[in-house]
Amino acid sequence: MKKDLNNLKSILDNTIYENTHFSESSKNKVRNKIDGNRRVKFLNKVKPIASFIVLFSITASLVTFTFYIMNNKDVVEQESSTLDKSNENVNGDGEEVNANITPSKEREQLSSENNGTKSYPYIIFNGYYYKQTGEEITEDQLGEIMGEVKRIGDWNFKKDGDSNEIPPGRSIYSVKDKDKNEYIAAKGVVYKNQTNIPGYLLFKKEEPVIHPDQSLILNAKSDPEETEMAFKNVQRLVPNILGLQELEQQYTLSFVSYLEEHGPGVNLYYSDNSDTNNVIYLLEYKNGLFPHNSRMVENPDPRNPWEPPVLSETFELNGFNWEYYEDKYYDDFFLLGEKNGYIYEVTFQGEFSLDDLKDIVMQLK
C-alpha cells in the first residue's frame, strides 16, 4: 500500500486526473490510518477497507470536479457554436432561415476589434458607421428609403451599404421624428420571449470610416479590388509568388492570405466566374516550410486516420518540375510543382481532370 501511495501521482497522471495534487501530508494520514498497530489483528483486516474508503473519497471528489469542468466546457462550446453559426441564418434573398441565432447584444460583448473590425453591430452609410442602439421601432415609424445594404461581413475597405448585422438586399430607412443624418433603420432580427424574430432595428451615427494604408494590406477575401491589392503587395515582398492572371476572364481571385512564416508564402483561391462551384487553390511556400493546410502535412483528426498522398507521376511543364499525387484521404489528386526553391501546390474543388490542371498551371507567371 505504501508503494501504491508513493506512486499515486504518476498513476493519476496517466488518467483523466492528470496534474491532481496529492500531498505527502495526505499520504501520511492515509498511511497512519492504514498501518496502525500491526499487532492488532482487527486493524489488519480493516486495512483494505480503509484504503478503499480513502481512495474512493479522493476519486469521488475528482470525478465531481471533472464533471463540473466538463459541464462548463460544454456550455462555452455551445455558446461559441451558436455564435459561429449566427451569420449562416439568412438565405440569398436575405430572409431568415433559422431563428436560433445569437442576439446582437451578446455578439457585441463576445466580439473584439481586429484590423479595424468593429465589435458592435453596424451599417455603413454616407461614410459613417451607424451603430445599432438596441432599440426596436415599428413599421409605422419608418420614413423614406435612403439606401440598401449591399454586403454583409467585414472588409479592409468599407463601403456604403456594408453591414455586419443586416443581410444584403434590405432597405435602409430614415426614421420619422428623428434627424435622418443621425438615425437610420433596417430590418433585422430582434430577440423577444427567448426567440429571434424579424424586426426593424434603430442605428445611430457613431464614427467616420477610416480606411487603412493600401500598401499594408496583405490579406483579403471576397472583394476583387482588395484581393488584387493584397496580391500585388505580397508580390512586392516575395518575387517568387506567382498567380493566374491570364485566367482572369474565367476565374476571379477571391482570397489572399500572406504566409509570413513559410518562405514567406501565400495562399490563393480562384473562383470560377460561371455558375459552377469550381475553385482552384494555389498554395505557395518555400521548399520544406509546409503550411498547416498543405496536403503533405498529416491531418490530426483521430476520427479519420490520415493517409499520406501517393506519388503517381512526374513531369516538366512551364519551367516547373511537377509531381502528380493521388490523395486517398480526400479522394482526389493534386499537383506539386517546384521552381527556384519554392513549392507550388495546386488543389481544387469541383470537376477537374489532370489535363485541366495542366492547362491551368501553364498560366502560372
Side-chain angles (χ1 to χ4, degrees), residues 89-151:
N89 295 286
V90 293
N91 60 22
D93 297 324
E95 297 299 325
E96 288 82 14
V97 295
N98 188 337
N100 296 318
I101 64 175
T102 304
S104 300
K105 191 171 183 180
E106 293 182 27
R107 289 226 321 272
E108 180 176 349
Q109 295 172 346
L110 292 171
S111 301
S112 61
E113 293 190 10
N114 182 26
N115 296 328
T117 298
K118 298 300 178 184
S119 61
Y120 55 78
Y122 65 79
I123 296 175
I124 293 179
F125 183 68
N126 287 343
Y128 279 81
Y129 290 98
Y130 280 71
K131 179 181 178 180
Q132 185 181 329
T133 64
E135 181 181 345
E136 180 190 2
I137 62 173
T138 65
E139 191 168 358
D140 292 339
Q141 293 176 278
L142 298 177
E144 61 181 316
I145 294 177
M146 302 176 66
E148 181 182 285
V149 176
K150 298 177 181 178
R151 305 190 300 181

Side-chain angles (χ1 to χ4, degrees), residues 218-221 227 230-231 234 253-258 266-268:
L218 301 175
N219 303 279
K221 63 178 181 179
T227 51
F231 178 69
V234 173
L253 180 61
S254 57
F255 180 89
V256 178
S257 179
Y258 180 55
V266 70
N267 192 11
L268 307 173

Side-chain angles (χ1 to χ4, degrees), residues 169-187:
R170 301 284 177 87
S171 296
I172 300 172
Y173 299 90
S174 63
V175 181
K176 293 176 182 178
D177 301 325
K178 289 187 180 292
D179 185 345
K180 65 180 181 181
N181 293 318
E182 292 294 323
Y183 291 91
I184 58 175
K187 187 179 181 181

